[in-house]
Amino acid sequence: MYIAVDFPDFEQHYMEFMQSSQHPKLERLNEWGKQRFFLAKYFDVVDDQHDTLQMVLHYQQQKVRLNLRQAPEFMQKEAYLTWLKAQFSQHGVV
């Protein structure tokens, strides 16, 4: 079950996620796993494919397709959140 969030609060949610102990240790996950756990917590994941590193999220009544191969390293907060916001902007939902 995901927690619906507004995009302006996303930096705060990212920090809470990084400090949370309610998910596997992030250092044990690959990049796809880190992003999958994070995005699934805050968005309705319509489709996720590890082999192609694609995810489709449902947000504000639209589907947002993410190519996680293009994402910067998840642990680089500023770069990752900037990339994520740009992806949502392309779909006109931010």
Side-chain angles (χ1 to χ4, degrees):
M1 183 75 168
Y2 72 97
I3 302 167
V5 297
D6 289 327
F7 214 88
D9 300 329
F10 223 66
E11 185 170 347
Q12 175 185 342
H13 294 296
Y14 176 89
M15 295 306 295
E16 289 171 3
F17 180 83
M18 296 296 281
Q19 296 169 358
S20 174
S21 61
Q22 296 180 358
H23 51 75
K25 297 286 183 193
L26 290 177
E27 59 271 3
R28 294 183 185 163
L29 298 173
N30 63 19
E31 277 299 304
W32 184 86
K34 291 173 190 171
Q35 293 181 67
R36 171 66 174 90
F37 270 100
F38 177 66
L39 294 169
K41 182 171 181 173
Y42 299 106
F43 299 99
D44 181 16
V45 177
V46 177
D47 186 24
D48 61 340
Q49 301 172 6
H50 179 268
D51 58 327
T52 60
L53 296 176
Q54 301 283 322
M55 288 187 81
V56 179
L57 309 175
H58 189 252
Y59 183 70
Q60 294 185 352
Q61 299 154 356
Q62 292 190 33
K63 289 184 180 177
V64 177
R65 182 173 306 277
L66 300 176
N67 180 348
L68 301 181
R69 290 182 198 273
Q70 299 171 343
E73 184 179 327
F74 179 76
M75 303 298 275
Q76 296 176 354
K77 180 183 111 177
E78 296 300 324
Y80 184 78
L81 292 178
T82 298
W83 172 82
L84 189 59
K85 186 173 183 176
Q87 299 304 300
F88 279 76
S89 292
Q90 288 178 0
H91 290 84
V93 293
V94 177

